[in-house]
Amino acid sequence: MTAVSTLVRSILPPEIPVGVQVLAAANQSALAVALASNLQFVRVEGFVFGHVADEGWIDGCAGPLLRYRRQIGAEKVSIFADIKKKHSAHAVTADVSIAETAAAADFFRADGVIVTGTATGAAASPAELAAVAAAVPQLPVFIGSGVTAANLHEFRTATGLIIGTYFKQGGLWTNDLDHDRIYELMTEAKQFAHS
């Protein structure tokens, strides 16, 4: 991951932020990669509130992760935390709303939060985006799954969008990039930028 991340960072202009996520809640590993590769952010799972993910139980990691970030001197690497993340069951925290989860991430010093749908490629809820943005108006709020050219307008209040699946041939994350889909979404995005 460090070699790939370093290569990506070297290709892009320094003013374009680059980040990394290491799946299965390998958040400390992601921080180490980001520091070694001079990246600006990490996307983390399980920052606040434990949950059952497809990999098994994921503990909340805010305290240990923040201490690790300080220990390795990576305080300049921002932490963007998935909240009520995709591919997970949240029955154990069903009494905690997504807005309350966002507020907890803010309390534990996340630098931004990410709202997702239920799975890779599944759209997030515009209502959840609004609730999270209202709960943490001082934090950037990103959409982390399911953005398409057709639903882009539903997420125009988000700080940013993490798009992967839609940019792949047939909308399958395992496929190669589809330049027509990329062009279609970027054309749609430019319309919003000018309105």
Side-chain angles (χ1 to χ4, degrees):
M1 288 298 289
T2 302
V4 170
S5 296
T6 300
L7 179 62
V8 170
R9 176 70 282 168
S10 73
I11 292 169
L12 293 172
E15 64 273 9
I16 295 178
V18 178
V20 67
Q21 176 184 19
V22 180
L23 294 179
N27 301 324
Q28 288 187 1
S29 297
L31 268 174
V33 169
L35 179 63
S37 303
N38 197 31
L39 305 185
Q40 288 67 46
F41 67 92
V42 292
R43 179 179 182 175
V44 304
E45 304 173 55
F47 190 66
V48 292
F49 295 107
H51 59 272
V52 179
D54 45 12
E55 306 98 325
W57 180 260
I58 305 289
D59 279 320
C61 70
L65 187 64
L66 292 172
R67 287 188 287 277
Y68 179 74
R69 179 171 72 168
R70 182 175 213 169
Q71 179 184 14
I72 66 170
E75 293 94 336
K76 291 184 179 179
V77 177
S78 296
I79 294 174
F80 296 154
D82 274 288
I83 53 172
K84 300 269 186 181
K85 74 172 236 38
K86 60 188 176 181
H87 301 290
S88 299
H90 299 284
V92 74
T93 58
D95 60 332
V96 181
S97 72
I98 194 166
E100 292 168 320
T101 305
D106 179 37
F107 178 80
F108 281 102
R109 299 180 180 244
D111 299 297
V113 293
I114 302 168
V115 177
T116 69
T118 57
T120 299
S125 161
E128 286 187 349
L129 168 61
V132 168
V136 290
Q138 66 285 4
L139 285 184
V141 179
F142 300 89
I143 295 297
S145 70
V147 176
T148 68
N151 70 11
L152 183 64
H153 66 281
E154 296 178 2
F155 305 115
R156 62 189 304 177
T157 60
T159 305
L161 310 169
I162 301 168
I163 305 171
T165 304
Y166 183 76
F167 286 159
K168 300 299 192 92
Q169 294 173 7
L172 298 174
W173 68 271
T174 54
N175 288 348
D176 290 336
L177 289 172
D178 184 327
H179 297 284
D180 292 336
R181 282 176 165 249
I182 295 168
Y183 180 80
E184 176 188 30
L185 189 133
M186 296 309 294
T187 300
E188 189 71 16
K190 286 178 185 175
Q191 291 178 18
F192 291 122
H194 296 107
S195 63

